[in-house]
Amino acid sequence: MKKIKILTLAAAVILTVGALASCKTDSPKTSESPKTTAAAQTEINTQTKEPTKVPTVTPADTSAETPVDTPVDTPTAEPSKTPLPTVDGAETEELRSDAWKADKNEHWHVTVSGKKADVGSHDLVEDECTVCGCMIIESDEYVFVSILNENYDEILDVEYENGELTFFIETEYTYDDEMNILTHKSMNFDKPYEEGKYSYATYVDDSFGEVISFTYTYCSELTRYNDDGTKTVENYDENELMVKSTDFDANGEVTEEATFEYTFFDDGFVKSIKKFVGGKPVLETIYSSFDEGYMIIKQIVYNEDGTTTEFDVINPID
């Protein structure tokens, strides 16, 4: 879940002072599960994605304002992969919210009793519905349906693979007075999908002879829930690079705790990522420079006997 409004701010800076590097870029959607909404390009297990250039950011002074772990109501989610039937009398019931729900064919509101109301087919103009505002992108195998809120944060993400509905993710957010995200909570169908907690940071750029800065929030803690009851908690720094990952079993017991260290090229792009488990290195991923195409060129596995095994690769080791 990318902060589009942060990119908009960065774009405004570009127009006035020139090119400005951004720490966040939207990655093309894939069929991978779980999907990643916060800096997943830095995760060891998803190294096929290009790492991002790290801007100059510093943690903001949070003595005056600190993100509050505000309780978030559970988002409304479809109880099954079969769309809710429209029930007689639904049009006269109070709506649960003004937010539209949608699939690839139609949109609707949901009443307080869970019935569909205001059902209608999409009226698409350049892949955007003029009624519900959803964007629909189709390919030979996939269909993606997305709805953003007034802050340009994604509140509905629906995906089909080969005609089968695979994701129906609804997300709710809390914001501060400046409309920076403080928390988000997502449900996929009727199950918890992920939760995010955000921290403040300040972007500073003085490379053009004028100091330009603004404060924003980034997802500093992301919890991913799995269908089997296990979960992973990921921690990110102010550059949105993952620095720690903790796996829990269904009983809440820690099964693995990993940390990550980075090196960088002079231009600020990630040069290598090293993963540690129990304080010992287990995997290192090395990238080529931007001029050389910027891709994974080597991975080093640290074996338990103290030896290492190197691979010249394009696709990373899981």
Side-chain angles (χ1 to χ4, degrees):
M1 303 187 187
K2 304 297 182 186
K3 285 294 298 291
I4 295 178
K5 66 176 180 178
I6 291 303
L7 296 181
T8 304
L9 286 171
V13 173
I14 292 173
L15 292 175
T16 58
V17 296
L20 179 62
S22 172
C23 66
K24 301 187 75 172
T25 56
D26 284 329
S27 301
K29 294 203 175 190
T30 70
S31 59
E32 297 177 1
S33 178
K35 300 185 313 167
T36 156
T37 62
Q41 65 274 22
T42 66
E43 187 175 354
I44 291 296
N45 291 336
T46 55
Q47 297 293 339
T48 52
K49 298 181 181 178
E50 296 182 359
T52 55
K53 182 175 180 179
V54 178
T56 304
V57 292
T58 57
D61 180 4
T62 58
S63 59
E65 52 177 354
T66 303
V68 179
D69 185 11
T70 306
V72 184
D73 291 336
T74 301
T76 304
E78 295 299 308
S80 68
K81 293 186 178 183
T82 303
L84 291 171
T86 302
V87 179
D88 292 340
E91 298 293 337
T92 63
E93 290 187 17
E94 182 181 354
L95 298 180
R96 188 173 295 174
S97 76
D98 293 332
W100 286 101
K101 312 299 179 187
D103 57 23
K104 63 181 180 179
N105 299 313
E106 60 185 21
H107 47 251
W108 63 90
H109 287 117
V110 177
T111 69
V112 291
S113 64
K115 300 174 184 177
K116 279 186 175 182
D118 307 324
V119 180
S121 299
H122 293 308
D123 179 18
L124 297 177
V125 177
E126 297 183 350
D127 299 324
E128 182 176 2
C129 179
T130 61
V131 178
C132 70
C134 77
M135 292 291 297
I136 300 180
I137 300 175
E138 298 188 46
S139 66
D140 291 340
E141 296 181 15
Y142 302 99
V143 179
F144 304 107
V145 182
S146 177
I147 296 180
L148 309 182
N149 64 14
E150 62 275 12
N151 297 314
Y152 300 101
D153 295 313
E154 190 172 59
I155 58 175
L156 181 66
D157 181 3
V158 182
E159 300 187 11
Y160 296 80
E161 182 177 358
N162 295 319
E164 180 182 355
L165 181 61
T166 54
F167 290 99
F168 196 100
I169 300 173
E170 297 178 85
T171 303
E172 288 192 352
Y173 302 84
T174 62
Y175 298 89
D176 64 12
D177 292 340
E178 301 298 323
M179 301 311 295
N180 292 302
I181 299 177
L182 295 180
T183 65
H184 81 257
K185 190 171 186 177
S186 302
M187 302 286 287
N188 185 29
F189 298 107
D190 58 346
K191 297 180 179 180
Y193 185 71
E194 68 177 31
E195 290 184 66
K197 298 180 181 179
Y198 292 68
S199 299
Y200 288 91
T202 300
Y203 184 98
V204 179
D205 190 311
D206 58 1
S207 59
F208 298 97
E210 179 182 357
V211 177
I212 299 172
S213 67
F214 58 85
T215 298
Y216 65 97
T217 59
Y218 65 95
C219 188
S220 55
E221 181 178 297
L222 182 68
T223 302
R224 304 177 189 276
Y225 297 96
N226 303 311
D227 290 339
D228 60 2
T230 62
K231 67 179 181 180
T232 299
V233 178
E234 300 169 354
N235 299 100
Y236 294 85
D237 65 13
E238 61 273 13
N239 294 313
E240 301 183 61
L241 298 175
M242 185 166 62
V243 295
K244 183 179 178 181
S245 176
T246 308
D247 293 332
F248 296 85
D249 63 21
N251 296 318
E253 299 294 328
V254 175
T255 57
E256 180 180 284
E257 185 172 283
T259 57
F260 303 87
E261 293 183 357
Y262 300 82
T263 62
F264 303 90
F265 290 106
D266 291 340
D267 57 10
F269 285 88
V270 173
K271 183 177 182 180
S272 69
I273 308 174
K274 184 180 288 189
K275 178 180 180 179
F276 296 80
V277 175
K280 298 180 180 180
V282 294
L283 179 66
E284 184 173 6
T285 302
I286 301 173
Y287 295 85
S288 63
S289 67
F290 183 83
D291 293 337
E292 295 173 324
Y294 211 28
M295 66 182 69
I296 295 172
I297 57 174
K298 181 180 293 186
Q299 286 191 310
I300 303 172
V301 176
Y302 293 83
N303 303 310
E304 293 184 358
D305 60 5
T307 62
T308 60
T309 305
E310 296 189 7
F311 297 88
D312 294 322
V313 296
I314 299 275
N315 297 316
I317 300 169
D318 292 332

